[in-house]
Amino acid sequence: MVYLVLLIMVAAFLALRLYMVLGKRTGHQQPLPKPAEERRAPPPFARAPEPLGEARDLGPRTIEGGAEQGMRAIIAADPSFDVSRFLDGAKGAYGMILDAYWKGDRETLDWLCEPEVRDSFAVAIDEREAAGQVLDNRLVTIERALITNARLDGRIARIAVRIDADIAAVTRDKDGNVVAGSLSDAVTTHELWTFTRTLRGNDPNWKLAETDEV
């Protein structure tokens, strides 16, 4: 009988300890992983959830004075727009678009570019492939991204971003021989990329609508 009582006491003690460990939520408990369809990364220009008030400082280090009026019009039309998130997305898109062009990835270019820009890239890719050339390029770093112009035409927003970057560029022939450039010496580039989007539309993504050298 004594042994039976001891066994019951030990079982009750273990059950209590198990409840203390598993039966309570603590501040350090990790949430369960989401299903795969819920864990897909958002596109570079997914709409930001944090509002940016019209009277809030737009950030002189990231926006030139001439673009401020247009930026305020865009924010007034879409209060969810966030300048810093947009610039982060612009820099991400810059790298993705360049990489897609270098690799001849037409599908990605179709997703990130307006038809006119996409077609220009496609023509250049076709000419490069016809010549048997391959680009072995690498984006080293983006030194700066600055909004230089912005305007709102109805529901169409257009934002021009100056991007200063260092790129290591090499062109190889069909046999892999280097015909131009060097991976050891990065070239500094200054480009003006204009992105566009229909505000409050079904597509939350900004697309590249124009490119130019500065």
Side-chain angles (χ1 to χ4, degrees):
M1 179 65 68
V2 174
Y3 290 114
L4 179 60
V5 172
L6 289 176
L7 288 174
I8 293 174
M9 293 176 62
V10 170
F13 174 76
L14 292 176
L16 177 62
R17 294 292 296 174
L18 186 63
Y19 168 76
M20 293 177 64
V21 174
L22 300 179
K24 295 182 180 180
R25 289 185 175 271
T26 69
H28 300 287
Q29 186 168 1
Q30 297 297 322
L32 292 175
K34 295 181 179 180
E37 61 271 14
E38 297 182 19
R39 289 186 277 111
R40 292 174 181 170
F45 288 102
R47 186 178 300 179
E50 299 179 3
L52 178 61
E54 188 174 0
R56 187 169 165 183
D57 184 6
L58 294 180
R61 295 184 179 180
T62 56
I63 300 177
E64 286 189 346
E68 184 170 330
Q69 183 176 357
M71 290 301 302
R72 292 194 182 280
I74 292 173
I75 293 168
D78 185 0
S80 67
F81 182 87
D82 183 271
V83 174
S84 61
R85 287 175 184 260
F86 170 83
L87 283 174
D88 286 342
K91 289 186 286 187
Y94 179 78
M96 291 176 65
I97 291 171
L98 285 182
D99 189 62
Y101 169 65
W102 295 335
K103 293 179 179 178
D105 182 356
R106 295 172 177 81
E107 183 178 353
T108 297
L109 293 174
D110 183 53
W111 173 50
L112 292 173
C113 302
E114 292 289 355
E116 185 176 351
V117 177
R118 176 204 62 203
D119 292 344
S120 296
F121 280 132
V123 169
I125 292 172
D126 291 341
E127 292 176 350
R128 186 176 73 219
E129 292 177 347
Q133 295 181 340
V134 176
L135 296 182
D136 186 11
N137 295 359
R138 178 170 55 90
L139 176 60
V140 178
T141 185
I142 296 177
E143 298 288 348
R144 183 179 67 160
L146 174 70
I147 295 175
T148 62
N149 193 14
R151 75 174 188 266
L152 182 64
D153 297 326
R155 293 174 57 202
I156 307 298
R158 293 177 62 88
I159 302 178
V161 182
R162 171 178 170 148
I163 300 176
D164 301 329
D166 293 333
I167 295 174
V170 167
T171 301
R172 301 181 185 275
D173 61 21
K174 61 181 180 180
D175 297 321
N177 301 312
V178 176
V179 296
S182 170
L183 283 177
S184 60
D185 297 322
V187 177
T188 300
T189 63
H190 309 284
E191 296 182 90
L192 190 66
W193 284 28
T194 300
F195 298 93
T196 185
R197 174 177 172 258
T198 301
L199 299 183
R200 299 188 179 277
N202 294 328
D203 188 353
N205 295 317
W206 292 79
K207 291 192 174 183
L208 179 62
E210 188 178 343
T211 65
D212 199 1
E213 293 184 359
V214 180

